[in-house]
Amino acid sequence: MYQQPDAYGALSMPVYLTASFEFPSAKAMTDAFSGRTPAPSYSRIANPTTTHFEQRVRTVTGALSVTALNTGMAAIAHALINVSEAGLNIVASKHLFGNSVSLMRDTLGSLGVETRFVDFTSTDDVRNAIDDKTCALFFEVITNPQLFVADIRALAELAHERHVPLFADTTVVPFSVFKAHDFGVDVELVSSTKYISGGGTGLGGLIIDYGSFDWSLSSSANLRARVRRVGKRQAFTARLKTELLTNLGALMVPQVAYIQTLGLDTLNLRFQRQASTTLWLATQCRSLKAIRHVNYTGLEDNPCHELATRQFGTLHGAVFTISLQSKEAAFSFIDRLKIIRRATNLFDRKTLAIHPASTIFVTFTDDERRDMQVDDTMVRLSVGLEDPADLFDDIRQACETDV
Ligand SMILES: *Cc1c(COP(=O)(O)O)cnc(C)c1O
């Protein structure tokens, strides 16, 4: 069991709001700066409140190391930068969170890292895209907002056959219920803004390294060079902690680490309640004439139901989508909501509605949106902790004056 490192044994890890840490001697200082002792030196590199949060996540996941950053995007960016170099490529799902697409296509693309976007529900497409310069496979375990599910064991087998690490964004399924590593994921990325923070109270991201990949086989010369110094399994975390965190300066701030540590305490309770409300609501929504289609992997006739159940268990998370007659119908549905809030974000305590095509995906062209299957009749609902019957009443009244 992990011990609280606080000097007073505080039951809630205090927020260490300090930039710097003082040392008793020059020797102690050099020991800390050279990594011989774990004492923090400067909060850009490590802060006790943030380290405590990382260790709590490590206890739950059984990972080799956990790194907390200021946003989910920072976690994804750091993880990809850590393995990539100009001339290498990433093979990524074409069904991804919009900013992950532009990170790879535009930002990493401009640095000479190519991304090949393919359909991850087809292992053949993934296999054909991999070559000797591939530095990572990247996908989301349930895609948002399409809610497609990939066969993770098959992807891991393929990745490892080709000596490529498997990176999974697991934001939509908490690590407390889904053990990504059991399915062969090497590096797990999480936007802790969502389920972990438990209320949209702050942004955060996690890089969870299971230490399962042999980095001496990586296409990254940088990581192969690290292997000689720190070992085959440690190279990824070593570069991340000693080079990227220090140089890019995006370590999670202690205030947020404190709040997200509290979020961990109630994570499973919230997840169970939100997931069961979602199943009930998704089922009820099928009785409403204005709703043409309900998409939720928890519904037994959903094409991904069986695979999702096998991988994630019987609780299918707290996001589902509905399709209305037209874009106009989707807009007026959203405008009429009274309890459900018009906002982006997932797994807040409050239920949130958004029209993905005109918001999160607004910078993409019609053709790109079609290719990503982000339809303009679709409304995404992220279900919170309110009374389920109140939520359904709200959805029903928002449909009423329709068509
Ligand atoms: C929200 C989200 C992100 C980005 O996380 P931020 O904390 O907003 O930076 C990445 N991936 C998925 C699947 C998300 O839902």
Side-chain angles (χ1 to χ4, degrees):
M1 187 56 203
Y2 177 70
Q3 295 293 310
Q4 293 230 9
D6 176 60
Y8 298 98
L11 199 49
S12 240
M13 182 65 177
V15 182
Y16 282 90
L17 270 180
T18 179
S20 196
F21 299 84
E22 192 181 5
F23 292 88
S25 67
K27 169 79 169 57
M29 243 176 142
T30 180
D31 283 348
F33 277 73
S34 56
R36 278 192 292 274
T37 56
S41 56
Y42 190 62
S43 283
R44 170 155 44 75
I45 298 151
N47 174 283
T49 313
T50 305
T51 304
H52 175 71
F53 174 56
E54 292 171 337
Q55 295 302 332
R56 284 280 305 269
V57 176
R58 200 170 150 236
T59 307
V60 178
T61 57
L64 170 74
S65 86
V66 173
T67 306
L69 295 118
N70 273 327
T71 62
M73 281 319 301
I76 295 169
H78 278 65
L80 292 176
I81 291 171
N82 207 30
V83 287
S84 61
E85 288 163 14
L88 299 184
N89 66 71
I90 298 162
V91 173
S93 166
K94 68 176 185 180
H95 302 113
L96 290 180
F97 181 69
N99 292 126
S100 297
V101 177
S102 52
L103 164 70
M104 288 180 239
R105 190 189 57 192
D106 306 334
T107 313
L108 294 178
S110 72
L111 299 173
V113 180
E114 180 202 342
T115 299
R116 301 168 178 179
F117 293 100
V118 298
D119 184 352
F120 267 51
T121 58
S122 157
T123 10
D124 283 341
D125 288 7
V126 179
R127 180 180 292 109
N128 293 336
I130 300 175
D131 64 21
D132 292 345
K133 301 275 183 209
T134 303
C135 61
L137 291 195
F138 181 90
F139 74 111
E140 293 173 11
V141 289
I142 301 181
T143 72
N144 166 23
Q146 306 87 354
L147 310 181
F148 295 151
V149 178
D151 183 339
I152 305 167
R153 279 212 173 93
L155 287 173
E157 211 170 283
L158 174 62
H160 298 150
E161 221 169 77
R162 303 296 301 271
H163 306 308
V164 175
L166 184 63
F167 284 26
D169 178 337
T170 64
T171 300
V172 294
V173 198
F175 44 67
S176 51
V177 297
F178 168 59
K179 304 290 170 200
H181 187 53
D182 291 351
F183 290 83
V185 170
D186 298 299
V187 177
E188 184 174 2
L189 289 324
V190 180
S191 165
S192 54
T193 312
K194 315 291 167 56
Y195 272 122
I196 315 301
S197 80
T201 45
L203 295 160
L206 292 164
I207 301 176
I208 303 171
D209 174 10
Y210 287 97
S212 50
F213 192 75
D214 175 353
W215 299 99
S216 69
L217 306 171
S218 167
S219 56
S220 155
N222 250 312
L223 290 177
R224 290 199 309 273
R226 290 261 165 187
V227 166
R228 289 190 279 281
R229 280 179 277 154
V230 297
K232 284 188 214 171
R233 310 279 167 193
Q234 284 79 9
F236 179 89
T237 280
R239 183 178 187 212
L240 178 66
K241 299 263 189 202
T242 60
E243 180 185 330
L244 296 197
L245 268 189
T246 312
N247 295 348
L248 300 180
L251 183 70
M252 179 180 278
V253 297
Q255 296 94 322
V256 168
Y258 174 80
I259 291 169
Q260 299 206 348
T261 304
L262 297 186
L264 286 178
D265 289 346
T266 57
L267 177 58
N268 271 351
L269 261 185
R270 286 183 286 109
F271 177 71
Q272 282 160 18
R273 160 77 186 224
Q274 286 173 264
S276 61
T277 303
T278 308
L279 178 59
W280 183 77
L281 273 183
T283 309
Q284 293 298 106
C285 280
R286 294 176 126 184
S287 65
L288 299 174
K289 275 205 294 296
I291 296 176
R292 282 188 352 208
H293 180 66
V294 180
N295 186 15
Y296 182 54
T297 61
L299 296 172
E300 278 176 19
D301 55 1
N302 184 286
C304 295
H305 177 75
E306 199 212 327
L307 183 58
T309 308
R310 198 161 3 111
Q311 296 182 145
F312 314 122
T314 51
L315 295 173
H316 288 257
V319 62
F320 73 107
T321 66
I322 55 176
S323 299
L324 292 113
Q325 306 291 344
S326 61
K327 177 180 174 184
E328 293 66 36
F331 268 49
S332 50
F333 170 84
I334 290 175
D335 289 348
R336 283 196 293 262
L337 290 169
K338 294 191 170 116
I339 294 174
I340 297 173
R341 321 292 275 261
R342 286 169 283 276
T344 191
N345 202 7
L346 294 171
F347 321 126
D348 197 297
R349 289 189 292 262
K350 301 177 186 74
T351 300
L352 311 176
I354 193 166
H355 182 253
S358 67
T359 54
I360 304 166
F361 291 87
V362 72
T363 57
F364 294 93
T365 65
D366 285 348
D367 279 351
E368 285 170 329
R369 276 196 294 269
R370 203 166 303 123
D371 192 41
M372 292 189 272
Q373 286 160 273
V374 181
D375 200 275
D376 68 4
T377 62
M378 180 210 288
V379 173
R380 185 186 81 184
L381 292 158
S382 166
V383 177
L385 291 170
E386 303 93 331
D387 181 69
D390 285 351
L391 292 172
F392 184 60
D393 283 349
D394 197 23
I395 292 173
R396 189 169 44 200
Q397 68 78 25
C399 285
E400 244 151 39
T401 43
D402 233 300
V403 268

